[in-house]
């Protein structure tokens, strides 16, 4: 409907015949967020540039077939545990849990068939001044071998003229672990621009990061100071300025693929700022999570095509994923991912866009 802040359309079908829908949320001046029910994926995010134009700034696919064919997490909701768990093992109340190992020797992003591969249900559509869609998914006890039935509720909402809010909540019927995130792949010059993000300027509000081993599991040491290292983004720097320095941590991650340690008070605060030099787009990311995974697209290798038929290559996108620290179930010194009956897991992230003359 013309002028409507919400649009709901078919987007495809699963092999079993179930329908996948796309919901478009509209802000001001052409700002849009497009969400599909498969994987609760942020399929497109249309943001203004400094010249009065608009473009999609998240990588992914134009049609559902691309999401179904390749599991690359483009814009997906990741769970039950985002990031990695060493050897896929952890103990909970004395019980050993063994997860599927799907990333070298480790478990990654919820296992072989995580939340990114599930069909979520539309629970509510809000057509008010702050348009929103709420999606729900129930993960049964034992899914991917995680304990407890987990009821997940996720709301995408336009909370400002060019601002998208993501609120995730989860409840369980027995002790479990939970760590959710959105895995958006951002290129603020545009998803089909064919440009690298290495000249994007990045700021991260963190004084420490987690050093990793060659399998991307945090080392058994306290967080390292960013000062004096290529990981210092406390002031804005181009992503590629020091990415080729001979630092062992850059070797282990093949670039940036590390968790930055944010404040732990659970309050929404600025975590990162990303600026594009040509379009003038600026994205601020605010979150209440204790960590931010900064990933410079190191494993994108040109083997698949994305929107506009463009091949997706190394450093074509930047991921900024707020969540609890990786391998936290095995690290009592890390923020805890434990969730008990009666408790509520809560994750709030905001993507705030602006544009300034380059």
């Amino acid at each position: 409907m013309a002028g409507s802040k919400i649009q709901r359309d078919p987007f495809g079908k699963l092999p079993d015949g179930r329908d996948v829908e796309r919901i478009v949320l509209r802000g001001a001046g052409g700002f849009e967020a497009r969400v599909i029910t498969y994987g609760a994926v942020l399929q497109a995010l249309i943001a203004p540039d400094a010249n009065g134009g608009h473009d999609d700034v998240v990588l992914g696919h134009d049609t559902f077939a691309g999401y179904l064919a390749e599991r690359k997490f483009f814009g997906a909701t990741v769970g039950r545990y985002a990031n990695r768990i060493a050897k896929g093992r952890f103990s909970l109340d004395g019980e050993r849990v063994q997860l599927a190992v799907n990333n070298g020797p480790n478990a990654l992003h919820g296992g072989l068939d995580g939340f990114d591969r599930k069909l979520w249900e539309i629970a509510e559509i809000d057509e008010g001044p702050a348009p929103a869609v709420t999606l729900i998914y129930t993960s049964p006890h034992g899914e991917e071998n995680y304990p407890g039935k987990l009821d997940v509720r996720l709301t995408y909402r336009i909370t400002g003229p060019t601002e998208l809010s993501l609120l995730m909540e989860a409840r369980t019927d027995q002790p479990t672990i939970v760590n959710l995130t959105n895995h958006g792949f951002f290129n603020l010059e545009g998803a089909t621009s064919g440009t690298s993000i290495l000249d994007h300027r990045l700021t991260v509000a963190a004084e420490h990061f987690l050093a990793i081993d060659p399998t991307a599991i945090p080392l058994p040491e306290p967080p390292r100071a960013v000062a004096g290292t290529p990981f210092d983004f406390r002031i804005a720097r181009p992503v590629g300025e020091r990415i080729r320095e001979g630092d062992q941590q850059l070797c282990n991650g093949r670039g940036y693929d590390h968790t930055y340690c944010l404040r732990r008070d659970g309050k929404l605060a600025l975590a990162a700022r990303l600026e594009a030099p040509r379009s003038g787009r600026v994205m601020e990311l605010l979150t209440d999570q204790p960590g931010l995974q900064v990933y410079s697209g190191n494993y994108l290798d040109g083997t698949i095509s994305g929107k506009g038929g463009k091949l997706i290559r190394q450093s074509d996108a930047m991921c900024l994923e707020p969540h609890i620290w990786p391998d936290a179930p095995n690290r009592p010194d890390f923020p805890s991912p434990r969730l008990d009956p009666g408790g509520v897991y809560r994750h709030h992230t905001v993507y705030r866009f602006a544009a300034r003359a380059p």
Side-chain angles (χ1 to χ4, degrees), residues 9 75 159 171 179 201 327 347:
D9 297 305
T159 46
R171 293 170 172 81
N179 182 28
R201 292 175 65 82
D327 203 32
H347 172 142

Side-chain angles (χ1 to χ4, degrees), residues 141-164:
H141 169 68
E143 183 175 73
E144 291 292 331
N145 220 27
Y146 286 95
K149 177 171 74 84
L150 192 73
D151 293 308
V152 185
R153 185 177 180 90
L154 179 159
T155 299
Y156 287 98
R157 184 180 298 276
I158 303 291
T159 46
T162 53
E163 180 178 287
L164 177 67

Side-chain angles (χ1 to χ4, degrees), residues 73-139:
F73 305 105
F74 290 123
T77 296
V78 174
R80 181 176 304 194
Y81 197 93
N83 214 311
R84 295 168 178 86
I85 296 176
K87 300 180 181 178
R89 301 174 188 163
F90 66 94
S91 293
L92 192 65
D93 295 337
E95 296 291 327
R96 175 63 63 91
V97 177
Q98 178 66 60
L99 308 172
V101 170
N102 64 328
N103 181 247
N106 307 314
L108 174 70
H109 290 341
L112 301 174
D113 196 27
F115 291 1
D116 61 294
R117 304 291 282 182
K118 304 299 184 182
L119 185 64
W120 293 58
E121 177 185 345
I122 297 175
E124 183 180 347
I125 289 180
D126 183 349
E127 300 190 56
V133 59
T134 297
L135 305 175
I136 57 174
Y137 176 69
T138 296
S139 175

